[in-house]
Amino acid sequence: MFAHHNCRLSARQKSRFDQHVLACVLSRALEEVEAGEATATGATGLSRAELRDVLPRGFPAVAVNAFALKEVSDPEPDMEEELLRGLLLAHARPDDPASTRFAKIIARRAMRDDHLWQDLGLSNRADLSRLLATHFPTLAAGNTQNMKWKRYFYRKLCEAEGFSLCTAPSCGECNDFENCFGLEEGESRLARIKNGIALD
């Protein structure tokens, strides 16, 4: 519960946007840890050492202890996650540890089923777009048609491998257009908690 409060509090501090995003991600991770669905490293894609580094900066000891870092091993990404992480790292801001951490987090959370902004625990898609533009500027700048971010990442991965994700000659002629470019609506997980709606 503390992580939810910290996420809302950090959002007011515009100069600390990265901390806001990290608090939201860690809030989602803590939900999964407490529900027995994942470990802290499994939920974030970060190693124990990385989590030990970032957690004390914004969380009191009681929250840090809830992540049970002594009981977990470092994450082992599968090939799909590795490819996505590699794509993000190729476009990350040079010599920026935060960009490297966010590449790992985004690649891991993208393996979940919801919209990526929801998987990260963010309030809306705009927060995700801002995060990507900040830490992966050249990658984000290429999404000129406002494609859904997961779709866009996979399109870029396919292009790098020399084949097309789509059978249609252009997006305008595709029967599946809404899946790539439709609205990314939905309630954030924090809003659902605030409104007392049970989470799946």
Side-chain angles (χ1 to χ4, degrees), residues 173-191:
E173 298 174 34
C174 182
N175 293 330
D176 204 26
F177 185 87
E178 289 300 313
N179 282 330
C180 290
F181 294 95
L183 296 176
E184 292 191 60
E185 297 178 322
E187 197 168 25
S188 72
R189 295 184 70 85
L190 291 177

Side-chain angles (χ1 to χ4, degrees), residues 28 114-122 185-189:
R28 284 288 295 117
D114 289 329
H115 296 306
L116 184 53
W117 64 268
Q118 292 171 317
D119 295 327
L120 291 166
L122 300 174
E185 297 178 322
E187 197 168 25
S188 72
R189 295 184 70 85

Side-chain angles (χ1 to χ4, degrees), residues 142-160:
N143 191 2
T144 56
Q145 295 181 316
N146 204 27
M147 180 179 273
K148 292 178 181 177
W149 285 112
K150 281 187 188 179
R151 291 277 179 157
Y152 175 69
F153 293 157
Y154 283 96
R155 173 173 279 190
K156 297 302 286 183
L157 288 173
C158 288
E159 287 174 359

